[in-house]
Amino acid sequence: MIVGISNIRHFGSITSSSGRKWGMCRFIHKEGWRRTIACSSASSAMINNNAQRDKEQLLVVVGGGAAGVYAAIQAKKLAPFLNVIVVEKGRLLSKVKVSGGGRCNVTNGHYVEKIHLIDHYPRGNRELRGSFFDFHGPLDTMSWFQNHGVELQTEKDGRVFPVSNSSSSIVDCLLHEAKKNGVLLQIGKVVTSASCNVNGKFLVKIEKRTADFVEIVETDYLLIATGSSKQGHALAVQLGHSIVDPIPSLFTFKIEDGQLTDLSGITFPNVKVKLILDATKSIPQFTQVGPMLVTHWGLSGPVILRLSAWGARNLFHSNYIGTLLVDFMPGIPTDDVKNSLFQHRDRFGKHKLSTSFPPSFDIFKRFWKYLFSREGLDGDLLWASISNKSLNGLTNLLKQCDFKIKGKGQFKDEFVTAGGIPLSEVLLETMESRKQAHLFFAGEVLNVDGVTGGFNFQNAWSGGYIAGTSIGKLSSENYLRMQALAGPITI
Ligand SMILES: Cc1cc2nc3c(=O)[nH]c(=O)nc-3n(C[C@H](O)[C@H](O)[C@H](O)COP(=O)(O)OP(=O)(O)OC[C@H]3O[C@@H](n4cnc5c(N)ncnc54)[C@H](O)[C@@H]3O)c2cc1C
């Protein structure tokens, strides 16, 4: 119901690509402002008096990101007679465009088996063990894009990019498919509220910020694919859902250590890092192994980003204060590291500390200097003059060097939000709400997020595909039922 309207005048209609007519009404609000409404057939009997049109069904997709557009294409492919509108407040597929440094890391080609794939989702790790990725996993995503003309390449670490190395290939492909299949793409419009009426249909309020314009659309199916937007969460709440508080994931760590940040640019190919938060409380510790990068204000690289994702909620509650313990030689036992240092002193006692170190340590010279200066040793000292205590101290720094985390940095290449609609409120086999029939969710709006490497887009593709398939099937069933009830159509 539209509240506070004193005068409604029907003044025309618009026609969707499938030929469906939408009534345009101008109303004058009690407070004096004028607005324009496009009403669908069911909410405007005076406009839609054609029995055939009543059989038409509508899907409104809120959000023209990866999940929304992918779902819209799939629904429209399965149910060509279904009217599908994607409402996007900004630019379509804007995150796809900027993703992967403009290259778009579409998915991951290494962890294609579910058992390994789910390990890359700090939120969703348990729930996605079901059929979610069986229905549409990384290999299906790759086939989808390849079948639609986008050549893909898999890098050594498993990240999949378009061969063009340009995210535009993905954007263009999706927009082309959407248009080809008759999906209506509406940009610059925001869905500001949604409710369910007694017929089990949704009334969706769409506003244009730039103009005094509002549309109330009645729709049979509603897909909320609004990413991490608070507006999307608000819509879900209006429709009876709860929200797990959104917090950032995938960030770097700020370390206030001038000597370390002077080493900006150094990469360690394989370190083991343990994240320790408030040790007085029983907060879990997180450990990851992989490459680490020193930046001009702290630590980054895959191992750090993974820790930020797995520890996202604990880090948030710890105000991004904690400690990292880095093992620079994860493959070598502590005793062996210690023995190497003692043997080096025995063999190269006359060498200066700054110019000589055990070769097997495979550590950058710049970093070696950092370690002995942390141990309070002067680089001009001869190895022979170094005490056992100092060698034990160096061993300790090599095996568990502590860095104090002083805050959260940014990771420019990728950013994702943990939190959103709890997965327990959604049937993951169909992406339909457990609270409201014909309401669907897909993508980052859900409490799912992955580590870097294409896993976040994979969640959007999988969820979008499942939602689109479910809506397409439901719509087809309804269409056939209505055809059977109506009998032959006379025009
Ligand atoms: C800089 C950056 C780089 C990234 N790179 C990668 C990468 O390489 N690989 C990877 O896997 N992941 C990457 N990610 C993460 C990935 O982009 C997201 O996980 C993914 O885009 C989520 O898709 P989505 O469709 O759920 O949400 P989004 O892509 O965020 O789309 C949601 C859309 O809904 C619209 N919207 C929201 N509310 C409303 C409303 N009320 N009315 C109308 N429209 C609305 C928004 O404007 C938005 O366009 C990156 C993220 C960032 C920020």
Side-chain angles (χ1 to χ4, degrees):
M1 198 175 84
I2 306 158
V3 187
I5 296 166
S6 59
N7 183 1
I8 303 181
R9 289 218 191 96
H10 171 222
F11 70 94
S13 60
I14 53 169
T15 310
S16 70
S17 62
S18 67
R20 184 187 204 184
K21 280 202 170 165
W22 296 72
M24 302 294 286
C25 304
R26 178 165 296 145
F27 68 78
I28 303 168
H29 192 270
K30 274 182 190 160
E31 290 162 11
W33 42 266
R34 289 157 184 270
R35 290 243 160 138
T36 306
I37 302 179
C39 330
S40 71
S41 55
S43 63
S44 179
M46 64 177 180
I47 296 156
N48 269 311
N49 52 10
N50 184 325
Q52 170 62 18
R53 271 186 222 124
D54 286 341
K55 284 202 222 64
E56 288 200 18
Q57 300 170 72
L58 175 67
L59 160 65
V60 170
V61 178
V62 191
V69 174
Y70 208 62
I73 296 169
Q74 176 64 2
K76 189 75 184 157
K77 275 187 176 176
L78 286 187
F81 39 81
L82 172 69
N83 292 299
V84 181
I85 301 179
V86 176
V87 183
E88 167 55 52
K89 65 177 177 179
R91 288 204 199 141
L92 291 159
L93 300 166
S94 57
K95 277 198 193 167
V96 175
K97 184 84 173 119
V98 298
S99 65
R103 294 170 68 212
C104 186
N105 178 193
V106 187
T107 185
N108 195 289
H110 278 185
Y111 303 98
V112 293
E113 282 176 36
K114 188 170 63 181
I115 184 114
H116 304 303
L117 185 58
I118 50 170
D119 283 346
H120 296 83
Y121 291 90
R123 265 65 51 187
N125 178 260
R126 195 168 39 85
E127 298 88 340
L128 302 182
R129 279 162 204 265
S131 59
F132 187 75
F133 288 122
D134 295 338
F135 205 93
H136 194 80
L139 291 178
D140 302 304
T141 301
M142 287 188 253
S143 302
W144 195 96
F145 281 105
Q146 277 160 341
N147 292 339
H148 291 89
V150 182
E151 275 190 76
L152 299 171
Q153 58 190 346
T154 306
E155 301 205 334
K156 271 191 202 149
D157 59 3
R159 292 178 305 157
V160 177
F161 293 93
V163 167
S164 66
N165 274 327
S166 168
S167 57
S168 300
S169 306
I170 303 293
V171 172
D172 294 348
C173 166
L174 288 167
L175 293 184
H176 174 78
E177 271 309 301
K179 286 175 192 160
K180 193 180 89 186
N181 285 284
V183 173
L184 280 183
L185 301 168
Q186 303 221 320
I187 53 169
K189 292 182 178 177
V190 191
V191 174
T192 51
S193 70
S195 59
C196 190
N197 69 16
V198 281
N199 305 323
K201 299 194 179 194
F202 301 94
L203 286 180
V204 175
K205 188 174 175 188
I206 306 173
E207 290 188 64
K208 239 184 179 180
R209 287 232 176 84
T210 50
D212 188 15
F213 184 88
V214 64
E215 298 168 289
I216 306 283
V217 172
E218 189 190 64
T219 181
D220 307 86
Y221 308 96
L222 181 63
L223 168 62
I224 300 183
T226 44
S228 54
S229 139
K230 281 189 183 151
Q231 275 169 330
H233 292 163
L235 296 176
V237 169
Q238 285 163 23
L239 293 164
H241 281 271
S242 61
I243 299 293
V244 178
D245 281 346
I247 52 154
S249 183
L250 294 182
F251 44 84
T252 61
F253 293 144
K254 187 177 177 190
I255 312 282
E256 272 172 13
D257 177 342
Q259 281 186 310
L260 176 75
T261 49
D262 280 351
L263 304 179
S264 168
I266 288 187
T267 304
F268 298 94
N270 195 41
V271 294
K272 184 173 172 185
V273 188
K274 189 188 274 185
L275 169 65
I276 300 170
L277 298 169
D278 193 342
T280 57
K281 296 177 191 157
S282 55
I283 294 177
Q285 296 176 354
F286 301 91
T287 304
Q288 289 289 324
V289 180
M292 185 176 80
L293 171 72
V294 181
T295 70
H296 63 283
W297 81 326
L299 293 169
S300 181
V303 74
I304 297 296
L305 296 168
R306 284 204 293 268
L307 279 175
S308 78
W310 284 98
R313 207 155 281 283
N314 301 101
L315 277 158
F316 176 80
H317 292 302
S318 305
N319 214 12
Y320 302 101
I321 303 292
T323 303
L324 290 177
L325 283 187
V326 181
D327 179 351
F328 289 98
M329 306 179 118
I332 306 176
T334 305
D335 279 350
D336 292 0
V337 173
K338 187 173 146 183
N339 290 341
S340 298
L341 289 171
F342 277 78
Q343 281 166 15
H344 197 78
R345 183 179 64 182
D346 294 344
R347 289 184 63 196
F348 301 100
K350 289 185 180 163
H351 285 197
K352 276 189 185 175
L353 188 58
S354 59
T355 53
S356 172
F357 50 89
S360 61
F361 279 28
D362 198 18
I363 283 186
F364 289 101
K365 204 173 166 188
R366 278 166 78 200
F367 188 66
W368 179 238
K369 280 186 186 164
Y370 170 82
L371 286 182
F372 64 68
S373 99
R374 252 188 82 161
E375 189 51 35
L377 297 169
D378 188 317
D380 286 336
L381 284 175
L382 298 182
W383 269 90
S385 66
I386 300 177
S387 67
N388 287 356
K389 187 171 169 253
S390 292
L391 288 187
N392 286 334
L394 281 176
T395 305
N396 200 41
L397 284 174
L398 285 162
K399 287 303 284 180
Q400 41 179 345
C401 192
D402 64 313
F403 297 101
K404 299 280 174 243
I405 304 170
K406 297 286 182 190
K408 173 174 74 65
Q410 275 185 328
F411 180 53
K412 289 193 202 109
D413 281 357
E414 190 169 341
F415 178 81
V416 79
T417 302
I421 295 147
L423 293 179
S424 56
E425 295 183 7
V426 175
L427 274 162
L428 291 173
E429 296 77 19
T430 57
M431 304 312 284
E432 190 170 14
S433 158
R434 286 185 191 271
K435 306 215 170 240
Q436 189 68 63
H438 294 187
L439 169 64
F440 295 80
F441 297 100
E444 210 178 310
V445 70
L446 292 160
N447 185 23
V448 179
D449 60 274
V451 297
T452 50
F455 301 102
N456 284 303
F457 275 135
Q458 187 52 53
N459 167 47
W461 311 130
S462 296
Y465 192 89
I466 298 172
T469 304
S470 314
I471 296 165
K473 279 185 183 167
L474 269 175
S475 172
S476 301
E477 285 161 17
N478 279 340
Y479 180 79
L480 291 174
R481 201 169 47 239
M482 284 189 289
Q483 291 281 36
L485 281 175
I489 299 158
T490 48
I491 300 174

